[in-house]
């Protein structure tokens, strides 16, 4: 026995929320759309979990950050799904999928069939065990991917105020959590293998600025090494972190942010994969024409860089979701997804945005000892990427528009002299 829907979305994260909104905007009929999510709550803006959710005072809590508040649109509380005739099956994992039969089997034993399937299963946090370090069961080792992780992180943080926190990983989670730990009055030490934070995006000059700012807030950095093991108390709590360089850091808690893996396992052997995700075309359609993929799990052609990429950021989740729904509901009117990659972060009083591709030569500009500075990336004679810290709304719009245009750059010294003025004049 089972139910049948015209459209089914697996996953109830950011991409699912924006897809549902787009379905309703485009007039989906009551009873046609179903969302199946392992999480117990309606789709929400995941970025809130490493920012507002961790604040010691007036922290963000649901329902305040359900999708689509992140783009200043209506907030889709559970009631909204009901009012729009969308079946929201929460707290339910899809166990298997058969794309030939167009059916899904849930962990509760229900078979759900579809005409069109949208895969929005996102990603899971990589665990230390996958690098041979034991510690998964320790109550004071925290990861951060979903609401349950965030609740646990808040509890652990509150239980060791004034204590020592070790942050493993120098990427997005590491940087945003280290800031929150300090704001919550813990001593934070960041440990990562690279020579600088945010190594995949920041230049060493940009990274130095953030590291110095963090140090001024009390964060310590131990770079170029990884943890090899933990020391445990008799109750199984981690008490210290042992590093490959032989040092030992006392720890009341540990936060781990060492990257993610897309949740593709339901479709391995059934759909074509690329870059660790489900390969889709410019309509977000997979190798099976009834199956679409959006958000972190999708590897799509990023036209502006001329490559298929998987992007792990919220703007791409939102826009790929809207595009897939447009392509399904109005195929003739919907062209190829033409996306300008956009990443951002906000920590302490800092705020940066990046657009495009960080490939080629770099030209820095602005005041690195002050508040507003940035960089352009120039590849094969064209400006392909822009970074700006401390910009105004208009300045961020200007770097986005300039990057989209990929202007020809003949004189790097002149570009450096013009700095932000270049983007404002294009
Ligand atoms: P997700 O939002 O992860 O949703 C996936 C959903 O699928 C989840 O609900 C999951 O439970 C469900 N699921 C998975 N497998 C199954 C299954 N088999 N059955 C049923 N359900 C399933 N990006 C930015 O650009 N800026 C930020 O500031 C930012 N902050 C972030 C902060 C945190 C703490 C995290 C974790 C991410 C952040 N990101 C940020 C990244 C951004 O949130 C993701 O790119 C975005 O959430 C991807 O959306 P998605 O819908 O593809 O995946
Ligand atoms: P990232 O990929 O950003 O960073 C992972 C970091 O951990 C890298 O510095 C990586 O180094 C390092 N690392 C890898 N293996 C180890 C190891 N064994 N020991 C120590 N360090 C290690 O992933 P995060 O976990 O920080 O973030 C998870 C997801 O959440 C990402 O998709 C990210 O986009 C998203 N996110 C985005 C935010 C934003 O956009 N503002 C905010 C928060 C999360 P190396 O590069 O050498 O592998």
């Amino acid at each position: 026995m089972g139910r049948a829907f015209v459209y089914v979305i697996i996953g109830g994260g950011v991409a699912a929320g924006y897809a549902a909104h787009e379905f309703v905007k485009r007039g989906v009929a009551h009873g046609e759309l179903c969302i199946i999510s392992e999480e117990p709550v309606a789709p929400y803006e995941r970025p809130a979990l490493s920012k507002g959710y961790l604040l010691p005072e007036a922290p963000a809590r649901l329902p305040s950050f359900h999708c689509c508040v992140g783009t200043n649109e209506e907030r889709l509380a559970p009631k909204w799904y009901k009012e729009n005739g969308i079946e929201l099956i929460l707290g339910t994992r899809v166990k298997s999928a058969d794309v030939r039969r167009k059916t899904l089997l849930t962990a509760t034993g229900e078979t759900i069939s579809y005409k069109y399937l949208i895969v929005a299963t996102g990603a899971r946090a990589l665990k230390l065990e996958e690098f041979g370090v034991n510690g998964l069961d320790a109550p004071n080792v925290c990861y951060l991917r979903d609401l349950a992780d965030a609740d646990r992180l808040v509890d652990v943080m509150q239980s060791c105020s004034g204590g020592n926190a070790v942050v493993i990983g120098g990427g997005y989670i590491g940087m945003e959590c280290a800031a929150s730990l300090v704001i919550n009055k813990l001593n934070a030490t960041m440990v990562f293998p690279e020579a600088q934070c945010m190594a995949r995006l920041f230049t060493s000059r940009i990274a130095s600025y953030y590291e110095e700012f963090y140090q001024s807030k009390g964060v310590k950095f131990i770079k170029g090494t990884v943890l090899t093991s933990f020391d445990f108390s008799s109750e199984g709590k981690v008490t210290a972190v042992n590093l490959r360089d032989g040092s030992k850091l006392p720890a009341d808690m540990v936060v781990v942010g060492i990257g993610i893996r897309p949740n593709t396992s339901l479709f391995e052997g059934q759909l074509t994969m690329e870059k660790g995700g489900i390969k889709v075309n410019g309509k977000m359609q997979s190798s099976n024409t009834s199956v679409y993929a959006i958000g972190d799990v999708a590897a799509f052609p990023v036209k502006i860089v001329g490559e298929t990429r998987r992007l792990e950021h919220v703007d791409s989740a939102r826009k790929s979701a809207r595009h897939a729904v447009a392509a399904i509901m109005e195929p003739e009117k919907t062209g190829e997804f033409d996306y300008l990659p956009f990443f951002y972060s906000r920590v302490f009083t800092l705020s940066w945005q990046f657009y495009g591709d960080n490939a080629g030569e770099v030209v820095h500009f602005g005041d690195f000892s002050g508040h507003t500075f940035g960089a352009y990336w120039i590849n094969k004679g064209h400006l392909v990427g822009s970074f700006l810290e401390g910009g105004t709304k208009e300045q961020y719009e200007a770097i986005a528009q300039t990057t989209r245009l990929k202007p020809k750059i003949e004189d790097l010294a002149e570009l450096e002299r013009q700095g932000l003025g270049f983007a404002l004049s294009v």
Side-chain angles (χ1 to χ4, degrees), residues 10-17 36-39 41 44-51 92-95 120-123 144-146 172-173 176 260 263 266 294-297 311-318 342-346:
I10 316 184
V14 173
I36 312 168
S37 178
E38 203 175 359
E39 289 191 82
V41 293
Y44 59 88
E45 303 283 2
R46 202 164 300 280
L49 297 183
S50 54
K51 302 173 190 70
T92 304
R93 181 174 176 74
V94 173
K95 256 186 16 184
T121 46
L144 185 55
R145 182 70 202 179
D146 59 21
Y172 288 93
I173 290 284
E176 294 190 3
I260 61 169
N263 292 318
L266 291 172
I294 56 179
D296 283 9
V297 81
L311 300 176
E312 302 172 355
H313 293 274
V314 74
D315 182 65
S316 144
R318 291 167 179 153
F342 165 44
F343 317 144
Y344 71 90
S345 185
R346 286 189 294 271

Side-chain angles (χ1 to χ4, degrees), residues 199-265:
R200 279 184 229 166
L201 180 62
F202 288 1
T203 64
S204 58
R205 190 158 174 208
I206 295 174
S208 296
Y209 176 90
Y210 290 95
E211 288 175 15
E212 279 166 28
F213 190 95
Y214 270 55
Q215 280 160 345
S216 76
K217 299 281 177 189
V219 178
K220 295 192 186 71
F221 288 87
I222 301 184
K223 305 188 235 179
T225 189
V226 290
L227 88 162
T228 49
S229 65
F230 290 128
D231 290 353
F232 295 95
S233 69
S234 52
E235 306 96 67
K237 276 192 175 181
V238 167
T239 54
V241 173
N242 298 308
L243 304 181
R244 192 172 52 197
D245 66 9
S247 55
K248 185 188 284 292
L249 304 173
D252 297 296
M253 68 179 289
V254 177
V255 181
V256 185
I258 55 172
I260 61 169
R261 284 288 176 275
N263 292 318
T264 55
S265 61

